[in-house]
Amino acid sequence: MGRLGLGRHFGGLAARLDGVFGANGVFAHDRLRFIDFVDDVEELLEEVAWQEGGDKKAADGFEEYVLRYYSG
């Protein structure tokens, strides 16, 4: 993200995602529902879209896409 010039938007990202993945990198379903995680990520993307171009709708559809893709 830093190379894309977007690093400043993700300074607190690690703290917000702390505990979401286990030490092995696998999503920790026992700590957070996947749907809630995807919703949180969509909100982060909306914040970045707003700050970069003023258009929060640029991230619309992310949650639906991810849930459809990973639901099989």
Side-chain angles (χ1 to χ4, degrees):
M1 290 298 178
R3 288 184 296 206
L4 296 173
L6 300 173
R8 67 187 180 278
H9 299 296
F10 296 97
L13 181 60
R16 291 174 81 169
L17 297 178
D18 186 38
V20 175
F21 295 92
N24 59 0
V26 175
F27 182 77
H29 292 276
D30 60 331
R31 296 183 198 150
L32 180 69
R33 293 182 325 153
F34 186 70
I35 193 166
D36 293 333
F37 169 72
V38 173
D39 185 52
D40 290 346
V41 171
E42 183 177 54
E43 289 178 20
L44 288 169
L45 292 173
E46 287 174 350
E47 288 176 26
V48 170
W50 176 254
Q51 292 172 6
E52 285 298 306
D55 185 10
K56 288 178 81 171
K57 293 185 180 205
D60 278 355
F62 172 81
E63 183 176 1
E64 291 82 12
Y65 173 80
V66 170
L67 294 176
R68 197 171 338 137
Y69 180 78
Y70 286 104
S71 297

